[in-house]
Amino acid sequence: MPNTVKDVLDTLMEPVNHVQNTVDTLKAGDPATEVKGIATAFMATQKVIEQTIALGANLLITHEGIYFSHHDPAEFLEKDPVYEEKRRIIMGSGLAIYRFHDYWHRYKPDGIMAGLIQALDWQPHIVENQPTATILSIPPMTLAEIFGHIKGRLGIRYLRFAGDLSMKCTRIGLLAGYRGGGSLCIPLYEQENLDLIIYGEGPEWETPEYVRDANNQGKQRNLIVLGHAESEEPGMSYLAQSLQTMFPSIPTYFIPVEQALQVL
Amino acid sequence: MPNTVKDVLDTLMEPVNHVQNTVDTLKAGDPATEVKGIATAFMATQKVIEQTIALGANLLITHEGIYFSHHDPAEFLEKDPVYEEKRRIIMGSGLAIYRFHDYWHRYKPDGIMAGLIQALDWQPHIVENQPTATILSIPPMTLAEIFGHIKGRLGIRYLRFAGDLSMKCTRIGLLAGYRGGGSLCIPLYEQENLDLIIYGEGPEWETPEYVRDANNQGKQRNLIVLGHAESEEPGMSYLAQSLQTMFPSIPTYFIPVEQALQVL
C-alpha cells in the first residue's frame, strides 16, 4: 500500500506525546501526496533541495527551518531575492518539506544525540542520557587524539577548542545544537566531574570564558565546539536509517552539507 | 584633585541619557575609592584581573560581565570552585570593576563601533552609522585581501567566513558583538547593496545559511565572522584612549586577551 506524506509524519510523531506550539510542521507540499522517496538533511539548503529533486525523492525532512530563522518565514525576508527564488523553486517542485526538530529531540533517547553518539562510535561509553546532555566515560585519550577521532568520524575539517591538547580526558559531557550556554554547561563540569565538554554552538562569552578562567586557576577543563550543523547532522543521518526500517519500500537518502563557515 | 571611582563612572555615563535596567553597574569595589590607575579590557578574565593588579591600577572597566553570563552572578555558579576562587581574589584585592556595556553602545557614534573602525583604519570609508550597523564603502579589495587587512590590524589568528575569496568587495556592513542574527543582517545585504557583512557573533543557522543559499543561486554575498570578543575588544582599547584624555593625570591601560577559542 502506498504511503502518503501524512503517513510518514504520523509514524515519526507517534512515539512522542503531542508537542504544543511546535515548529515541526509541513513547510511545503501536500500531506496527501504519495511518497516516492525520502531525503533527510540538517537543513533544506538550496543545494539540498536540488539534490533531493535529482534523487527523485519528494519528501525532504530537515532539522532546521527553510528560511534562515527558527520561526519561518520571517517578515524581514519579504521581497528578499534569495528568499523569493528559493520559495519559487520549492513551490514549483511540488516537494514536501517537513521540519522534524522538537519531536526528534523528544525521542528517548533524543534522536539527534543518538545519531551523534553512533557517528562517534561512543555508544559503549554512555554513562547517562540526561535531558540536554549525555555523559560519557571513554578510555583515556588526549584532547589532540579526541580531535583526530571526531574529525575522522564526523568528516569535519576544523574544530574550535579551549584547553590543553596534551591532557588526557575520560569524562565527557556531550551537548548537540545550541546547548553550549553557561547555564547548561558550566554546572556540568563540577556535577559530573568532567574533563571535557563537547557542544554544538553557544555564546562565546559564557562557557569558553569559564574554561579559560578555570585553566588559568590550574583547574583543568577542556571544551570542543563542533558547530551547530556539525553536531546535529549525524542525527539526521540516523533518522534516514530509522526511516529505512520503518518504510522499507521507500527509497531513503541522507544528504550531508559542507560546513557553512570555513576558516582562514 | 584626586578622582574617585564614582567620578570616573559619572564622567563616562554623562554623555548618554539614563539607561533603565542597565547591566552597567559597579560589580566590585567601593565608589568612594581614589583611582590610582585604570585598566580597560573586553572581559575581566582571571588573567586580566591579575594584570590589572600588577599594573597598580585599581579600577578595571570591562565590556562583558565578570562571571560568564550577561546577568551575573548567575545562580548556577553557587559553589562552583572557579567562580569562588575568582570572587575571593577580586574581593581580596579591593579592585573596583565596572561594566561599561549599554552606555558605551549608546554613545554617538557607538564607542565599540568607533573603536573597531579606528582599529581597521576605515574611518574615511564610513557611509552611514546606523543604530546597529555601520555601512562602509572601501576601495575594491578581494575577500582574501580583506582577510589579510583584518588579521593584521586586529591581531586575529583566524577568521571564519562564507563566500568567494577572489571576489572584489566594496560595500561592507559592519556589526560588532552579538549582532549577527538573520533579522539584523539579512535585510542589510539588499537594502544597502552589500558585497560583504562582517559581524562578531550570531546564530550559525541564520546569516551563514542565507549566504550559502545566495551564493548557490549565483547572487554574490560574502560573510566574515570575527568572533564576539575580537569584534568588541578594539572598542575597549579606544575607551582607554578616551579615558586618558578625560583624566590625563590617571595612568590608563588597555589589556588585550587572546582569542578564547583556538582552531585546529
Side-chain angles (χ1 to χ4, degrees), chain B residues 199-213:
Chain B
Y199 69 63
E201 184 179 9
E204 291 174 6
W205 71 99
E206 294 188 2
T207 309
E209 294 291 352
Y210 173 83
V211 169
R212 190 209 294 264
D213 274 353

Side-chain angles (χ1 to χ4, degrees), chain B residues 27-225:
Chain B
K27 306 293 181 188
D30 180 347
T33 304
E34 183 187 332
V35 177
K36 307 281 190 194
I38 306 172
T40 71
F42 171 67
M43 193 146 171
T45 66
Q46 175 94 14
K47 193 171 168 191
V48 163
I49 290 166
E50 291 163 2
Q51 289 171 299
T52 303
I53 296 167
L55 287 163
N58 63 348
L59 171 58
L60 172 60
I61 303 177
T62 63
H63 193 61
E64 302 297 348
I66 304 176
Y67 298 116
F68 332 115
S69 172
H70 190 60
H71 297 281
D72 63 350
E75 270 180 35
F76 63 79
L77 285 171
E78 220 173 285
K79 296 194 183 154
D80 180 89
V82 178
Y83 163 71
E84 286 192 344
E85 182 168 337
K86 191 172 183 181
R87 191 168 173 278
R88 196 172 43 72
I89 290 167
I90 292 168
M91 294 302 158
S93 71
L95 187 64
I97 304 181
Y98 174 61
R99 183 170 179 195
F100 192 50
H101 181 279
D102 300 341
Y103 278 85
W104 200 210
H105 276 305
R106 280 172 177 76
Y107 270 55
K108 288 186 194 299
D110 179 328
I112 291 291
M113 289 300 295
L116 177 58
I117 293 164
Q118 185 197 65
L120 291 169
D121 198 22
W122 279 351
Q123 301 100 316
H125 309 310
I126 296 174
V127 174
E128 186 190 358
N129 284 314
Q130 300 180 355
T132 55
T134 294
I135 310 303
L136 302 148
S137 180
I138 64 165
M141 290 171 81
T142 64
L143 191 59
E145 288 165 349
I146 292 173
F147 277 16
H149 179 79
I150 293 176
K151 284 186 177 175
R153 299 285 311 183
L154 303 187
I156 291 178
R157 289 198 287 183
Y158 71 88
L159 293 167
R160 292 189 296 160
F161 76 101
D164 175 355
L165 286 174
S166 67
M167 188 189 156
K168 292 236 184 221
C169 299
T170 296
R171 298 273 303 182
I172 300 176
L174 185 66
L175 303 94
Y178 205 106
R179 288 178 174 164
S183 61
L184 285 180
C185 290
I186 293 173
L188 275 186
Y189 280 106
E190 192 66 14
Q191 283 165 19
E192 303 295 343
N193 192 25
L194 301 181
D195 305 313
L196 169 64
I197 282 181
I198 303 173
Y199 69 63
E201 184 179 9
E204 291 174 6
W205 71 99
E206 294 188 2
T207 309
E209 294 291 352
Y210 173 83
V211 169
R212 190 209 294 264
D213 274 353
N215 289 322
N216 216 275
Q217 293 177 1
K219 302 179 179 77
Q220 286 194 307
R221 307 250 197 271
N222 297 286
L223 172 66
I224 293 177
V225 180

Side-chain angles (χ1 to χ4, degrees), chain A residues 147-160:
Chain A
F147 278 16
H149 178 78
I150 292 175
K151 284 186 177 175
R153 298 286 310 183
L154 303 188
I156 291 179
R157 288 198 288 184
Y158 71 88
L159 292 167
R160 291 190 297 160

Side-chain angles (χ1 to χ4, degrees), chain A residues 42-47 50 64-70 76-77 79-83 85-86 89 99 144 147 151 157-163 165 178 182-184 186-187 190 199-210 212-214 216-217 219 221 223 225 227-230 257-264, chain B residues 42-47 50 64-70 76-77 79-83 85-86 89 99 144 147 151 157-163 165 178 182-184 186-187 190 199-210 212-214 216-217 219 221 223 225 227-230 257-264:
Chain A
F42 171 66
M43 194 147 170
T45 66
Q46 176 93 14
K47 193 172 166 190
E50 291 162 2
E64 302 296 348
I66 303 176
Y67 298 116
F68 332 116
S69 172
H70 190 58
F76 63 79
L77 286 171
K79 295 194 185 154
D80 180 89
V82 178
Y83 163 71
E85 181 167 339
K86 191 172 183 181
I89 290 167
R99 183 168 179 198
F147 278 16
K151 284 186 177 175
R157 288 198 288 184
Y158 71 88
L159 292 167
R160 291 190 297 160
F161 76 101
L165 287 175
Y178 206 105
S183 61
L184 284 180
I186 294 175
E190 192 66 16
Y199 69 63
E201 184 179 9
E204 291 174 6
W205 71 99
E206 294 189 0
T207 310
E209 294 292 352
Y210 172 85
R212 188 209 294 265
D213 275 354
N216 216 275
Q217 292 177 1
K219 300 179 180 80
R221 309 249 196 270
L223 173 65
V225 180
H228 194 114
E230 295 82 347
V257 293
E258 292 275 303
Q259 287 184 275
L261 293 170
Q262 298 178 65
V263 157
L264 200 84
Chain B
F42 171 67
M43 193 146 171
T45 66
Q46 175 94 14
K47 193 171 168 191
E50 291 163 2
E64 302 297 348
I66 304 176
Y67 298 116
F68 332 115
S69 172
H70 190 60
F76 63 79
L77 285 171
K79 296 194 183 154
D80 180 89
V82 178
Y83 163 71
E85 182 168 337
K86 191 172 183 181
I89 290 167
R99 183 170 179 195
F147 277 16
K151 284 186 177 175
R157 289 198 287 183
Y158 71 88
L159 293 167
R160 292 189 296 160
F161 76 101
L165 286 174
Y178 205 106
S183 61
L184 285 180
I186 293 173
E190 192 66 14
Y199 69 63
E201 184 179 9
E204 291 174 6
W205 71 99
E206 294 188 2
T207 309
E209 294 291 352
Y210 173 83
R212 190 209 294 264
D213 274 353
N216 216 275
Q217 293 177 1
K219 302 179 179 77
R221 307 250 197 271
L223 172 66
V225 180
H228 195 116
E230 295 80 350
V257 294
E258 293 273 304
Q259 287 184 273
L261 293 170
Q262 298 177 66
V263 158
L264 200 83

